[in-house]
Every structure is written in C-alpha cells, then in structure tokens.
Amino acid sequence: MELLHRERSSRSRITQRLTQAVLDDVDNVVLIERWIARQKANYKPNSKPSLELHFPNEVTGRSISRADYDAHGLQAPARDVHGVKVTLHYVQGMETPFIVLISTPEA
C-alpha cells in the first residue's frame, strides 16, 4: 500500500511540475495575461482557454489515436506522448484570477 502511495505522490509531483511549466512558458504567459484582461473587461463564463507545451525529452503520458482505435478497437497500441494541455477557468476575486480546470497529456 505504501508503494502505491509513493507512486501516486511521485506522479502527482510530475503532473504539477509539467502543468506549472505550461503556465510559466513565455508565450503562454502572454496568452494568459490577454485572456485575463478580456475577462476583466467583459466576463464570459464559458471562456476556458487551453494552452499546450511540448516536452521533447520527457514522456508525459500515453495515448491511442482515433485512427488506431478505429482500426484496432481495444487492441489499439498506446504510444508515448510528449506534450501537456492545460485548460483554465476564470475566477473573479482571486489574486491569481484563474484555476487549472484540467491538465492532460497530449500528443
């Protein structure tokens, strides 16, 4: 049981590090700042931008392509992916006015 807990804890730290890297990426910071400014000026509750970042030297997860699934069903091969996609949600009144809605591995 402790081994499982340590493994989950380690994965959680990796996920947190990769998510933070997406948020800290220079290009993404500009996109986030522009989105926050637009939300402050004209709040749109359904505005949930997604940001991506590629990590060429790090496996961020595994995925099955739609084409492979269509061709092979449950026997479709999973492939390593090297990207992360982060979706944000605006929250008024917070010092950092957004939360990470979801962070997922991406091809």
Side-chain angles (χ1 to χ4, degrees):
M1 188 65 144
E2 185 171 321
L3 179 61
L4 181 60
H5 175 72
R6 278 187 280 157
E7 185 177 318
R8 283 183 183 161
S9 180
S10 176
R11 276 190 256 155
S12 178
R13 283 191 301 275
I14 292 167
T15 302
Q16 198 168 25
R17 178 178 55 81
L18 295 173
T19 299
Q20 192 63 53
V22 173
L23 297 175
D24 291 341
D25 176 72
V26 173
D27 294 330
N28 287 339
V29 167
V30 171
L31 294 173
I32 292 167
E33 288 173 349
R34 289 179 182 164
W35 170 68
I36 289 171
R38 285 192 308 274
Q39 287 293 85
K40 285 181 177 179
N42 184 23
Y43 177 64
K44 294 183 179 177
N46 293 328
S47 176
K48 294 175 178 54
S50 293
L51 310 164
E52 297 181 23
L53 192 60
H54 189 70
F55 299 87
N57 299 319
E58 189 158 9
V59 175
T60 60
R62 301 196 33 88
S63 184
I64 297 171
S65 73
R66 169 58 64 189
D68 282 345
Y69 181 79
D70 288 345
H72 305 287
L74 295 177
Q75 302 302 315
R79 304 186 194 295
D80 290 344
V81 294
H82 302 273
V84 173
K85 180 179 178 180
V86 174
T87 302
L88 305 179
H89 175 72
Y90 186 79
V91 180
Q92 293 175 321
M94 290 177 49
E95 184 176 334
T96 302
F98 65 85
I99 59 170
V100 172
L101 193 57
I102 191 165
S103 181
T104 58
E106 284 287 311

